[in-house]
């Protein structure tokens, strides 16, 4: 095994570089991840194919291909496979490579580091009219649009505000976990190094919070509060749980109950928050653009083809033919999957994700017996961050952004790698 370790060390460094580069230099990040994927599959193929969870992904891959054969528009469905199959392979590779707490901690730092720069670019976009020339996107893979996309909402280096929102909620959650670990370390040993790291993480949290607010994403706001409450409960800070609950209550009161004192609270809660939550900011939206309309349409399609579905990426042409409005997705990943891959494919994917998360919860319930020192808090951080992505996708679809989809699979791979490492004890992780 010693002659293999330098190769694995090199692959681990390549993965770190790729994760750091991904948000701002997506081409570099994706190429690096492709190198990692190929190398791990080539060197650990036998181990990968022995892992039962990968069997489930293999069955799901076959099912998606079968769905594409019988799709309403087969070509669209074949193209849609690119949002799934490469990431199944990436999961299988990273599941072998990532298995220790120090790896999770390092990847979390690398995912958080680019976020302040992304928010600063977004602030320039909104308030200074920053925009990039046409050639910029060809080179860097992203471009700034003055005043955001859609107008008035921060989108920064992403093509739409909601994609920035899910990235920032992930970075915000990971930063919260790192902050809590650092605070506990600083409280026990007040070293200057811990103090500076704590200060830097606090600054990043504040910057990310500003960015989250300016995305004007209701999903992101709710998930940020969910993450804060989760960590407050984890740390045993009941006063903070109560404070956050009180803030949420006041905001919801102002947004949804104007006749029972909400009008008074609207003098305190900023108008762009309560108006956005209550949908008063966009009161004249066409019925075809509403989530409920899209969800009803999906339900009718599911009833027509419940088993095989209509094919990946086929919601858009079907919805356009019916409503005469173009929409890229129905703002709910489970509904979209059930529509496009049938109930079987949807349940299979949800079962795989649910099994890993259930095993992770079980692992966290008995830390002294099953988890080594230092892994508990960082595993909890990853679970909260990935749960945030799951919640976001209940009311939106994020898989169509390459960077966001990749980050989600990296988090899921890391959780699975730590949870199932005891079942692959013969393997040696990167040190």
């Amino acid at each position: 095994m010693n002659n293999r370790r330098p190769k694995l060390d090199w692959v681990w460094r390549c993965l770190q570089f790729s994760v750091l580069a991904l948000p701002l230099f997506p081409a570099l990040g994706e190429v690096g991840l492709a190198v990692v994927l190929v190398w791990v599959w080539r060197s650990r193929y036998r181990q990968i194919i022995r892992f039962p969870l990968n069997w489930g992904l293999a069955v799901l891959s076959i099912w998606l291909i079968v769905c594409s054969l019988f799709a309403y528009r087969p070509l669209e469905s074949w193209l849609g496979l690119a949002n799934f199959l490469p990431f199944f392979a990436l999961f299988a590779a990273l599941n072998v490579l990532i298995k220790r707490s120090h790896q999770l901690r390092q990847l979390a730092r690398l995912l958080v580091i680019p976020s302040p720069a992304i928010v600063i670019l977004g602030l320039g976009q909104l308030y200074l009219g920053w925009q990039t020339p046409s050639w910029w996107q060809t080179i860097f893979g992203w471009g700034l649009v003055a005043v955001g996309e859609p107008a008035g909402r921060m989108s920064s280096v992403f093509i739409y505000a909601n994609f920035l929102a899910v990235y920032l909620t992930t970075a915000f959650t990971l930063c919260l976990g790192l902050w809590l670990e650092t605070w506990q370390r600083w409280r026990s040993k007040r070293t200057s190094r811990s103090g500076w790291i704590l200060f830097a993480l606090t600054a990043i949290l504040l910057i990310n919070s500003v960015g989250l607010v300016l995305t004007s994403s209701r999903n992101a706001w709710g998930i940020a509060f969910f993450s804060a409450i989760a960590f407050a409960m984890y740390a045993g800070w009941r006063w903070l749980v109560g404070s956050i609950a009180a803030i949420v209550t006041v905001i919801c009161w102002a947004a949804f109950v104007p006749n029972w004192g909400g009008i008074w609270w609207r003098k305190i809660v900023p108008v762009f928050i309560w108006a956005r939550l209550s949908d008063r900011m966009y009161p004249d939206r066409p019925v075809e653009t509403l989530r409920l309309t899209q969800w009803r349409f999906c339900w009718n399609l599911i009833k027509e083809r419940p088993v095989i579905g209509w094919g990946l990426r086929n919601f858009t042409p079907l919805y356009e033919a019916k409503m005469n409005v173009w929409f890229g997705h129905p703002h709910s990943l489970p509904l979209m999957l059930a529509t496009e891959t049938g109930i079987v494919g949807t349940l299979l994917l949800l079962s795989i994700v649910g099994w890993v998360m259930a095993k992770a919860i079980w692992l966290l319930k008995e830390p002294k017996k099953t988890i080594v020192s230092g892994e508990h808090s960082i595993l909890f951080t990853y679970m909260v961050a990935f749960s945030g992505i799951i919640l976001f996708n209940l009311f939106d679809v994020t898989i169509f952004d390459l960077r966001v989809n990749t980050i989600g699979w990296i988090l899921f791979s890391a959780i699975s790698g730590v949870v199932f490492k005891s079942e692959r004890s013969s393997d040696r992780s990167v040190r």
Side-chain angles (χ1 to χ4, degrees):
M1 293 298 293
N2 290 336
N3 61 339
R4 293 186 180 183
R5 186 165 294 163
K7 295 182 179 180
L8 284 177
D9 285 343
W10 178 83
V11 174
W12 169 238
R13 287 194 295 271
C14 183
L15 175 61
Q16 293 179 79
F17 168 79
S18 303
V19 169
L20 179 62
L22 185 63
L24 286 170
F25 304 98
L28 279 177
E30 294 296 343
V31 168
L33 288 170
V35 171
V36 171
L37 186 155
V38 171
W39 192 273
V40 175
W41 268 88
R42 184 179 176 183
S43 61
R44 298 300 177 90
Y45 173 75
R46 293 180 183 275
Q47 182 181 341
I48 289 172
I49 63 174
R50 287 199 305 265
F51 186 35
L53 206 61
N54 293 335
W55 304 347
L57 289 174
V59 172
L60 179 57
S61 300
I62 295 170
W63 181 260
L64 295 181
I65 292 171
V66 171
C67 291
S68 298
L69 292 173
F70 297 96
Y72 173 71
R73 289 192 180 179
L75 179 59
E76 293 290 332
S77 191
W78 288 114
L79 293 174
L81 292 174
N83 294 316
F84 295 93
L85 302 191
F87 298 97
F88 296 168
L90 180 65
F91 169 85
L94 296 185
N95 204 19
V96 171
L97 190 61
I98 307 171
K99 290 184 295 184
R100 294 186 179 274
S101 60
H102 75 87
Q103 294 176 297
L104 270 63
R105 201 167 285 109
Q106 180 65 5
L107 290 179
R109 296 189 193 108
L110 296 172
L111 285 168
V112 166
I113 286 172
S115 59
I118 290 173
V119 173
I120 290 170
L121 288 170
L123 291 171
Q125 168 193 62
L126 282 181
Y127 298 112
L128 299 176
W130 289 357
Q131 56 184 351
T132 52
S134 56
W135 54 265
W136 184 276
Q137 186 159 1
T138 304
I139 297 175
F140 292 97
W142 55 266
L144 286 181
V145 179
V147 304
E149 181 62 43
R153 296 176 60 186
M154 182 188 288
S155 57
S156 189
V157 301
F158 292 86
I159 62 173
Y160 199 80
N162 286 355
F163 292 132
L164 172 64
V166 70
Y167 165 74
L168 286 180
T169 54
T170 304
F172 176 82
T173 303
L174 293 173
C175 194
L176 271 178
L178 294 173
W179 185 94
L180 182 60
E181 280 193 338
T182 306
W183 182 84
Q184 291 172 337
R185 188 165 57 249
W186 176 80
R187 187 179 62 171
S188 61
K189 294 181 180 180
R190 299 188 177 230
T191 63
S192 59
R193 183 174 182 273
S194 295
W196 280 110
I197 295 174
L198 190 64
F199 174 80
L201 291 173
T202 302
I204 293 174
L205 280 175
L206 292 174
I207 293 170
N208 285 354
S209 298
V210 171
L212 282 170
V213 171
L214 294 177
T215 62
S216 196
S217 168
R218 292 170 289 187
N219 281 352
W221 297 348
I223 292 168
F225 277 113
F226 158 78
S227 298
I229 289 175
F231 281 105
M233 294 177 65
Y234 181 80
W237 296 340
R238 295 182 180 179
W239 62 270
L240 185 55
V241 174
S243 300
I244 296 171
I247 293 171
V248 172
T249 300
V250 168
I251 292 173
C252 291
W253 199 342
F256 303 114
V257 197
N259 296 329
W260 295 82
I263 295 296
W264 188 86
W265 287 116
R266 287 180 179 181
K267 298 176 182 178
I268 299 174
V269 179
V271 63
F272 73 90
I273 293 180
W274 67 257
R276 175 66 175 141
L277 286 174
S278 61
D279 230 6
R280 297 290 184 87
M281 190 174 288
Y282 308 106
D284 299 321
R285 292 171 59 191
V287 67
E288 296 85 359
T289 66
L290 299 177
R291 280 176 167 82
L292 286 177
T293 305
Q294 299 161 27
W295 295 347
R296 290 193 190 101
F297 182 76
C298 282
W299 179 244
N300 290 330
L301 291 177
I302 292 168
K303 288 191 292 185
E304 289 185 44
R305 298 179 70 170
V307 178
I308 201 71
W310 295 81
L312 295 169
R313 288 169 50 106
N314 272 255
F315 167 83
T316 299
L318 289 165
Y319 197 74
E320 187 173 13
K322 179 69 174 180
M323 303 293 185
N324 202 29
V325 174
W326 187 94
F327 252 91
H329 56 77
H331 287 87
S332 175
L333 181 60
L335 269 179
M336 187 190 79
L337 289 174
T339 302
E340 296 182 344
T341 70
I343 295 174
V344 174
T346 305
L347 289 178
L348 184 54
L349 179 59
L350 294 180
S351 298
I352 292 170
V353 174
W355 176 246
V356 173
M357 295 300 282
K359 293 281 284 187
I361 291 171
W362 183 259
L363 191 61
L364 289 177
K365 286 177 65 178
E366 299 188 21
K368 293 181 180 179
K369 297 180 181 179
T370 57
I371 193 165
V372 301
S373 175
E375 283 187 355
H376 195 284
S377 60
I378 193 63
L379 178 59
F380 178 80
T381 297
Y382 269 67
M383 289 179 64
V384 175
F386 187 67
S387 296
I389 294 176
I390 293 174
L391 291 173
F392 204 103
N393 277 276
L394 292 179
F395 305 99
D396 209 332
V397 179
T398 64
I399 64 170
F400 297 119
D401 184 273
L402 182 62
R403 286 168 289 179
V404 170
N405 197 17
T406 302
I407 289 171
W409 280 100
I410 290 172
L411 296 183
F412 185 50
S413 303
I415 294 170
S416 177
V418 169
V419 167
F420 291 101
K421 70 176 182 180
S422 60
E423 299 180 12
R424 302 188 302 269
S425 57
S426 60
D427 180 63
R428 292 294 181 267
S429 178
V430 184
R431 295 184 186 273

